[in-house]
Amino acid sequence: MTISFSTLKIAWRNLGRNRRRTLLSVGAIALGQFTLITVNGLDAGYFESMLRIVTGPLIGHVQVHHPKWREEQAVDQYLDNLSEAEKEIRALPNVKSVSARVFSAALAAPGERGRQPAEAEMGMVVGVDVSAENRQGGILASLPPADLPGPGSVVLGKVLAQRLKLTPGKTIAVISQDTDGLPVSNIFRVNALIQGGNELISRLGIVMALKDAQGFLALPNQAHEIIILGDDYRKAGELAERVKSLPALKNAEVITWKEAFPVIVRLIGMKNWIDLIFLVILFIAAAAGIANTMMMSTFERTREFGMLLALGTRPGRLIRMIAWESVILGLVGVALGSILGTIVVLITSHTGIDYGALGGIRGQELSFQGLTISYVVYPKFEFHQVLFGFGAVTITAVLTSLWPALLAARLEPAEAVRS
Amino acid sequence: MSGTDGNFLITARGVTKIYRTGQIEAPALRGVDLEVKSGEFISIVGPSGSGKTTLLNLIGALDSLTGGELKVLGKDVSGLSRRERAELRLHHLGFVFQAYNLIPVLTARENVEFVLELQGVGRERSARAEEVLGELGLSEFSDRRPLEMSGGQQQRVAVARAVASRPRLVLADEPTANLDGENAEVLLRLMRRLRDEQGMTFVFSTHDSRVVEHAERIITLTDGRVSQDERRNPDRG
């Protein structure tokens, strides 16, 4: 099938015959495509920020635990021979960082006696690799180097510190249990307070250097959790398989971020459905606009089509002419919507959209499944959404033009010219 | 295509056409016999409803006959498929309609080019379109769209389009119906000139006495039958 230049020319010029109708259709299609790109851009930006937190140093790409740790979280369910395990993991390809954590429930109270007897509060000792957690997305990401926990010092979750009325520079008494169930206690200096990233840390966290925590809990070469970051979170499954095969971790449970945080997988699935729903809305808007325009335009031109057929125009050419009119109409609309949508998404991807401010809660953060997520969303431009829109509108345009095109092609020239 | 049945470009034998709407039958042609030679300049006249347009439509393979036999350029049009009829119209016939004759979104030259393109004429079609428009004194209108031309100019462009591919037979249905006297005269002189210079055959239906004056043969239809077939010398009036 050849597409002649004159077929395209006639199709294009025919759209100018009733400009108001054409503009309305183009506007409807453009609005649909604009909505598709901006709403999906917002979704994508929101999910990406969530994914960045989930797959950052906090949760990692792959986690290693004692097989019962996730179920019971008891202090004696640790991974043994930590240094050897870390060495083997670091030797694997595509591993960017490895860090270990220890956890233990604790009671905490101010370390200095005040006029009133202080009440103890529930806390959680978290021993971390300080340099690893100080990176973006880590537990200690918000702290300057001077505030990081060192020997004998800790960083407290802000909520816990408020409950204990503690400020940086004060001391905190921490009582916990070692792996044999024996009580252990010590006094630490409070270096700084942290908030954000992880709600659990904010409410309960007594964060200290891994060595301090290991010494405090009598876990000299052990850890409860190893966090592994690879070079691509999408390849976490392959990385987990390689980690599982390491001799030092043969009895350990190795999971990916998807298993550690399954809700994100469901949310991503939900996002795909949202994308699809908008695509369907775009289909319907485009179909309604184009079908209306093409039907009206075809019926108005019955005599003209009869004349074209009388001159010897083949029905197939007439069908192509009408289909091209429809496709051009759709493409102009979708191009306009794409340009506007892309501009809006690209601008807001830099400036961000503060949903908190829109709702009158500027400066706060959203807590979701223990993660703290900013209300400021940075939409993400996804080129495939533009292509989906183009594809959807092109298919819709061809399909909706078929009926009027076939009606025109089946006209009897004599009857049509007489009409 | 040999083009003729003996010496005749058109041969009609007992041609009938009945329009049916539900149970109602409306006979438009009741047995037309007709022979047209190459190079004739014929006017089909008759009152409204006498079957003039129907006969032109049948000759032009725009419609199918109900009965009888009709050969156009040696082809039995009743035996042609939809596609073959389109091919016949495209390559051998030229049409001029009463109104709505041109593609409104194309210029005069593009309208002429369009038919040449349908016929498969290549890159030279633009030059040919200009040539035909020039021959018919329409060069100055070649870049105008129909709405930018008068009715008479539009009809002349329609004639240019009809004759651009040098068809053997040009059919015109009431070509002067929407024209004033001066424009009708120009159009008819033009058609006669083309007949004289290029040997084309013209058959046109009309109510217009000005058209009839130019015809060399006047076929009168009454109630779907040929009631009179008169040959004359138009120059002698």
Side-chain angles (χ1 to χ4, degrees), chain A residues 84-294:
Chain A
E84 183 59 27
E86 285 186 319
K87 192 174 150 194
E88 286 181 10
I89 294 168
R90 285 199 177 94
L92 290 173
N94 307 324
V95 170
K96 273 172 62 184
S97 79
V98 181
S99 60
R101 290 178 188 151
V102 295
F103 301 90
S104 179
L107 277 174
E112 292 145 23
R113 202 169 281 180
R115 289 183 186 173
Q116 300 290 327
E119 284 191 13
E121 289 284 343
M122 273 297 297
M124 168 82 75
V125 170
V126 184
V128 298
D129 178 333
V130 172
S131 62
E133 302 286 0
N134 192 218
R135 288 199 295 264
Q136 190 183 12
I139 292 172
L140 305 172
S142 60
L143 296 181
D147 289 347
L148 293 173
S153 67
V154 297
V155 167
L156 285 190
K158 198 169 184 179
V159 176
L160 179 64
Q162 281 168 350
R163 284 190 188 143
L164 292 170
K165 298 183 177 62
L166 285 174
T167 53
K170 304 267 176 145
T171 57
I172 181 171
V174 182
I175 303 168
S176 187
Q177 278 187 325
D178 69 11
T179 52
D180 294 325
L182 298 172
V184 291
S185 64
N186 208 342
I187 290 179
F188 299 91
R189 189 168 52 81
V190 177
N191 255 13
L193 308 183
I194 50 171
Q195 183 183 25
N198 187 317
E199 195 193 1
L200 188 74
I201 298 292
S202 182
R203 280 194 298 115
L204 301 172
I206 306 163
V207 184
M208 58 184 76
L210 183 64
K211 284 274 176 223
D212 265 16
Q214 284 173 324
F216 180 55
L217 299 169
L219 290 163
N221 190 26
Q222 288 97 16
H224 293 116
E225 184 171 83
I226 299 174
I227 301 290
I228 307 166
L229 280 171
D231 57 1
D232 185 352
Y233 71 86
R234 285 164 296 202
K235 294 178 183 167
E238 297 164 32
L239 180 58
E241 287 307 312
R242 286 198 291 272
V243 173
K244 276 179 195 169
S245 66
L246 296 175
L249 297 169
K250 64 180 176 185
N251 293 321
E253 180 195 52
V254 180
I255 58 171
T256 65
W257 61 271
K258 289 182 180 176
E259 293 160 283
F261 208 81
V263 72
I264 194 78
V265 180
R266 290 199 291 274
L267 283 173
I268 289 168
M270 198 171 84
K271 178 195 176 298
N272 294 336
W273 278 106
I274 292 169
D275 288 357
L276 187 66
I277 288 166
F278 273 97
L279 202 61
V280 170
I281 291 171
L282 175 64
F283 253 118
I284 293 168
I290 295 171
N292 176 54
T293 302
M294 295 315 297

